[in-house]
Amino acid sequence: MDSLTIIAAVSIFTAGITIAIGGMMPSRGEGEALTKAIESVARQPEQANTIIRLFFIGAAVVESVAIYSLVIALIILFANPFIHLFTK
C-alpha cells in the first residue's frame, strides 16, 4: 500500500467515526432534554409555553453540534488537507 492509499483509508475511517460520535451524542442529549421538558410541563402546566420555547432553542443548539460534525466529515472526505502532502 502506498501512502496515498493509507491516507484515504484513514480519512474514510475518521469520517465514519466523526459521524457516529457526532450523531450519537447530540441525539442522546436531545432525548434527555426532551424528557426533562416533558417532566417540567407535567409539574408546571401553566409554564408550558416557556418550557417548550426553551426546549426548542436548546434543541437547535444541540443539533448544531451534529451539523458541525457532518461538515467536518465532509471536509475530511472531499477536501482532505493532507492529500497534497503525499501527491507530487
Side-chain angles (χ1 to χ4, degrees), residues 7-27:
I7 293 294
V10 170
S11 297
I12 292 169
F13 178 76
T14 304
I17 294 296
T18 301
I19 288 296
I21 294 173
M24 179 180 61
M25 294 313 209
S27 298

Side-chain angles (χ1 to χ4, degrees), residues 3-4 83-88:
S3 60
L4 189 60
I83 292 291
H84 77 279
L85 297 175
F86 296 99
T87 57
K88 293 186 180 190

